[in-house]
Amino acid sequence: MSCIDTLVTPVKKARHQLLYLIYGNQDVYRREAKFTVLLDEATLTRWQGQNGYHHRRKACAIAAGLQLAEKTLFVDTDTLFTSHPNSLFQYIDANQSVMDRFEYDWKDVFERPDYLKLARDLSVHGISPQNGFKLYNSGLCGITDRDSALFEESIRLIDEWTAGGFEIHTIEQIALSYAMRERPVVEARKHIYHYFAEKRFFHAMQAFFFAQHGEKFSQRLVDLCADVPRVKPFPSAWQRLKIKWKLRNQSGAMRKVGRDLLYGSAAPDHPYYSACRHEWWECASREILRWDESRQKKLLEQSRWPKQLPRPDKPEDEKVIMNYLKKRVAAAR
């Protein structure tokens, strides 16, 4: 299989490894994970296959990575471990795999419009709603070096199911779930946290971390990672209650804008939270950008804090917030 041609098998395999795939050289992704095997453009193009399915590369990366260790945990870069990875490696063996989490049964989705083509393809393999399989999120995948056949089948199915076009971006994890349909799978959800819906907050904290400490690997850098928060900067429960009370007379979009602006201002006093509190204001600006221009002007073209909104507890934030919003809206026009 061409997926494994480019990696050199080590003299001695590692016992356990964490495996990540980064598609590009953007700083935000580079900061999420450090890697030692550089994949050239020709390899990435080959791994994508002939049907233009981007995430085929993920199955190929795992297939190639199996050569390097006895047990492998493939992990999406937007993932935090909430317990030591060893707690997941213990569940991986020749007859059992680990996946991020169970999402749904085939019988629950086969009639969705975007699944109809896949349903026809699966019927060729004798799969129906009555004898379907469980579909897992592949944001984390734990396998052994004996599981290459699983990925040979997955890649073959990806190519089969993406021929002539595709409407489902998760074909890769459906193919892997199908290949694993006969084996026990342990969910990893209690041991990890995916921040995919909150990336901007974590990217800002990661940028701050490396700006402070540099990117040269050392044990000190590993130790300092413990200082980086594992959650985005929510105000305290008392602050959230106060904000809710302040916004009691607002509703709909204005309530959401007010909440996001005040949440950013009321973020806990912490260097990492200070580095990303503007992302709350970014959430508010995205809501404002959905409004028509006259409504935007009514809110923003005032010399002082908008009278429609309660003031933040920190008076100095009023000007900072308004400048931020005005700049974002002006840039979008």
Side-chain angles (χ1 to χ4, degrees):
M1 183 170 55
S2 62
C3 289
I4 65 174
D5 292 344
T6 58
L7 297 185
V8 177
T9 304
V11 175
K12 183 179 180 181
K13 289 184 180 180
R15 181 166 170 261
H16 295 165
Q17 72 170 349
L18 295 177
L19 179 67
Y20 296 86
L21 173 64
I22 299 174
Y23 286 7
N25 61 359
Q26 296 181 44
D27 285 346
V28 291
Y29 302 129
R30 181 173 51 79
R31 293 182 186 120
E32 285 182 326
K34 297 296 183 182
F35 57 95
T36 58
V37 178
L38 181 63
L39 302 174
D40 58 29
E41 195 62 36
T43 299
L44 292 173
T45 299
R46 186 170 69 254
W47 282 6
Q48 184 166 307
Q50 297 181 352
N51 299 332
Y53 179 60
H54 200 56
H55 296 300
R56 185 183 187 271
R57 296 172 175 177
K58 183 173 174 179
C60 284
I62 300 174
L66 292 183
Q67 306 170 83
L68 306 178
E70 295 172 7
K71 293 183 179 182
T72 295
L73 267 181
F74 175 89
V75 192
D76 281 352
T77 56
D78 55 354
T79 306
L80 300 174
F81 282 94
T82 56
S83 60
H84 197 284
N86 282 344
S87 60
L88 287 172
F89 278 110
Q90 67 178 328
Y91 294 115
I92 303 170
D93 61 40
N95 300 305
Q96 180 172 272
S97 299
V98 174
M99 294 288 277
D100 181 331
R101 66 190 62 202
F102 167 73
E103 290 198 328
Y104 42 78
D105 282 299
W106 173 245
K107 63 182 173 61
D108 297 328
V109 297
F110 77 100
E111 290 183 313
R112 293 181 186 176
D114 52 338
Y115 277 74
L116 294 179
K117 178 182 181 298
L118 180 59
R120 292 192 295 270
D121 291 336
L122 278 168
S123 67
V124 174
H125 298 276
I127 296 297
S128 69
Q130 290 72 37
N131 68 347
F133 57 102
K134 291 183 176 182
L135 290 96
Y136 292 91
N137 186 303
S138 62
L140 181 144
C141 179
I143 59 280
T144 76
D145 54 359
R146 300 180 182 180
D147 287 328
S148 58
L150 284 176
F151 292 91
E152 290 175 2
E153 182 179 11
S154 295
I155 294 164
R156 179 181 60 78
L157 291 170
I158 288 170
D159 291 341
E160 176 184 328
W161 295 344
T162 57
F166 51 91
E167 296 181 347
I168 308 172
H169 78 279
T170 56
I171 287 286
E172 162 269 323
Q173 64 185 29
I174 296 173
L176 182 55
S177 295
Y178 178 82
M180 288 183 172
R181 66 193 182 280
E182 301 295 339
R183 68 163 54 192
V185 171
V186 174
E187 293 183 77
R189 60 192 307 165
K190 293 181 180 179
H191 303 276
I192 59 172
Y193 172 59
H194 277 305
Y195 57 82
F196 58 88
E198 302 164 343
K199 284 186 177 182
R200 297 193 313 275
F201 293 91
F202 288 90
H203 287 171
M205 288 191 284
Q206 290 157 5
F208 181 78
F209 174 84
F210 288 112
Q212 292 291 109
H213 305 298
E215 297 192 22
K216 184 178 180 180
F217 181 81
S218 67
Q219 184 57 49
R220 178 176 177 273
L221 201 66
V222 173
D223 295 339
L224 288 168
C225 286
D227 297 334
V228 183
R230 291 331 192 228
V231 294
K232 68 182 184 182
F234 275 103
S236 67
W238 169 241
Q239 287 279 18
R240 296 198 301 273
L241 187 61
K242 281 178 62 178
I243 290 169
K244 185 176 182 180
W245 174 253
K246 286 182 176 182
L247 294 168
R248 66 191 182 282
N249 295 322
Q250 300 288 355
S251 61
M254 188 63 75
R255 184 184 182 90
K256 182 181 185 308
V257 167
R259 189 197 76 136
D260 290 342
L261 296 180
L262 296 182
Y263 268 33
S265 182
D269 186 15
H270 188 289
Y272 285 99
Y273 286 156
S274 296
C276 68
R277 67 183 186 138
H278 65 278
E279 295 300 345
W280 280 114
W281 305 337
E282 176 63 18
C283 293
S285 74
R286 293 187 178 202
E287 178 61 38
I288 293 170
L289 286 169
R290 297 188 184 99
W291 300 355
D292 61 50
E293 191 170 339
S294 62
R295 191 179 183 189
Q296 291 175 4
K297 287 182 177 179
K298 186 177 180 181
L299 180 71
L300 300 178
E301 292 191 356
Q302 302 180 40
S303 58
R304 299 182 179 180
W305 183 258
K307 60 183 178 181
Q308 305 99 305
L309 293 172
R311 295 180 180 277
D313 284 348
K314 301 174 183 176
E316 64 272 21
D317 277 350
E318 293 183 13
K319 186 175 181 180
V320 175
I321 291 171
M322 294 310 297
N323 286 342
Y324 183 91
L325 295 179
K326 289 176 181 179
K327 183 177 180 179
R328 284 288 288 112
V329 171
R333 286 178 180 167

